[in-house]
Amino acid sequence: MSDQEKNNEWDSLWQEYTKSLENWKSLFEQIQTASTEMQSRFNEVWEKASIESSNETMKLFGENWQKAMTDAGMNSFKEFSENWQKALNDSNMSTFKQFVENWQKSLSSSGLEQMNAYGEMMKKFTETWGSMWPKSK
């Protein structure tokens, strides 16, 4: 193989790599934007629910959400369960807000596994919410 062919092969490989990197960066930015928007909407839903719902309703919701995650094989969220119980035992509604902020930060802060787990938790939140407060047609 001539030096020119080696250079062309290298250039081609480098161009493929940089194109892949640009695609990855674009998708990563889309995920960040979507995550920020989802967290913002979730926080609005959560705040409204915590203000307008009784402690008993919030407790039932938490139990249903936790069961949905367990049923889906998401048993790794023991800390979530423990912190949820602590939030329920405190009558101060700001505790719920702090709980949400803490677990969102911990799940969305690093790694694809955590990102996938966060997505699954939010999916189970939506499913549980829909089963407790179905939309009227």
Side-chain angles (χ1 to χ4, degrees):
M1 186 179 283
S2 72
D3 286 343
Q4 182 62 36
E5 289 172 329
K6 287 179 183 177
N7 284 342
N8 288 344
E9 184 180 332
W10 173 252
D11 288 344
S12 177
L13 179 59
W14 187 255
Q15 288 172 357
E16 289 174 22
Y17 166 75
T18 56
K19 183 179 179 183
S20 295
L21 180 60
E22 288 169 6
N23 287 340
W24 176 86
K25 183 180 176 192
S26 175
L27 288 171
F28 182 73
E29 289 169 352
Q30 289 175 31
I31 289 169
Q32 284 182 310
T33 300
S35 293
T36 300
E37 184 178 335
M38 180 185 64
Q39 285 179 350
S40 177
R41 297 294 90 71
F42 173 84
N43 289 339
E44 290 172 14
V45 167
W46 191 261
E47 188 171 339
K48 184 172 177 59
S50 64
I51 291 169
E52 296 179 6
S53 301
S54 69
N55 208 23
E56 189 59 35
T57 299
M58 294 301 285
K59 181 178 180 181
L60 178 61
F61 176 79
E63 290 169 358
N64 289 339
W65 187 13
Q66 191 174 342
K67 182 180 182 320
M69 288 188 290
T70 300
D71 291 348
M74 299 175 70
N75 295 321
S76 61
F77 295 105
K78 184 177 180 189
E79 184 179 342
F80 169 86
S81 175
E82 291 169 356
N83 289 335
W84 178 262
Q85 290 303 317
K86 288 177 190 173
L88 285 176
N89 292 333
D90 189 339
S91 61
N92 185 351
M93 289 310 248
S94 67
T95 304
F96 281 116
K97 186 175 183 178
Q98 187 64 47
F99 161 78
V100 168
E101 289 172 4
N102 287 342
W103 75 259
Q104 281 186 338
K105 282 180 191 173
S106 69
L107 285 176
S108 64
S109 63
S110 65
L112 291 176
E113 186 176 321
Q114 284 84 4
M115 187 170 67
N116 185 51
Y118 181 73
E120 284 299 312
M121 286 186 77
M122 296 311 292
K123 180 180 173 187
K124 293 303 171 190
F125 169 84
T126 303
E127 290 171 0
T128 305
W129 187 277
S131 71
M132 287 186 68
W133 293 283
K135 287 183 175 180
S136 56
K137 293 186 177 186

